[in-house]
Amino acid sequence: MLSLEAQILLALTYWREYRTLYHISMDFGIHESSASHIIRKVEYVLINSGKFELPKKLPSRVDDDINWSVVIVDATETPIERPKKTKETTIAARRNNTP
């Protein structure tokens, strides 16, 4: 079982890097399903804390009595290099090569 700090780091790693659960679980030395369970548990705790609630509707005017906290989230997409499909890698081509 991972420590509380490691569980939070695992969830933050998933949210920030958006890597697959397989790769994150390999880094932390746990099973993929355990990584998924930990992320869901951390999300549940944060949501139920009441400190991470988004307003349902923005105010129509700005009042001085509203205390706004700003959270900046880096949601930059990172391009992933994918292998190109060729005739040699398709299923039909592989079937022709089987004895």
Side-chain angles (χ1 to χ4, degrees):
M1 189 65 171
L2 295 176
S3 67
L4 180 61
E5 293 85 3
Q7 292 180 31
I8 294 171
L9 181 61
L10 185 145
L12 290 172
T13 301
Y14 177 74
W15 295 327
R16 173 63 176 96
E17 299 176 4
Y18 203 64
R19 293 167 46 209
T20 62
L21 289 174
Y22 172 77
H23 289 104
I24 292 173
S25 64
M26 295 298 287
D27 287 347
F28 285 86
I30 59 173
H31 194 270
E32 191 174 343
S33 62
S34 297
S36 175
H37 176 73
I38 289 169
I39 291 167
R40 281 185 276 130
K41 184 174 83 171
V42 170
E43 287 174 348
Y44 177 80
V45 169
L46 291 175
I47 290 168
N48 288 329
S49 72
K51 295 184 178 186
F52 297 95
E53 184 176 324
L54 294 175
K56 305 293 183 225
K57 192 169 110 177
L58 291 175
S60 59
R61 58 186 172 82
V62 177
D63 292 332
D64 292 334
D65 60 337
I66 296 176
N67 183 9
W68 287 93
S69 297
V70 177
V71 177
I72 299 174
V73 177
D74 180 5
T76 307
E77 292 187 19
T78 306
I80 298 173
E81 186 175 329
R82 305 240 185 235
K84 301 214 186 282
K85 290 185 178 182
T86 62
K87 286 187 177 182
E88 293 79 30
T89 61
T90 59
I91 295 173
R94 284 186 273 156
R95 285 187 189 154
N96 294 337
N97 294 334
T98 56

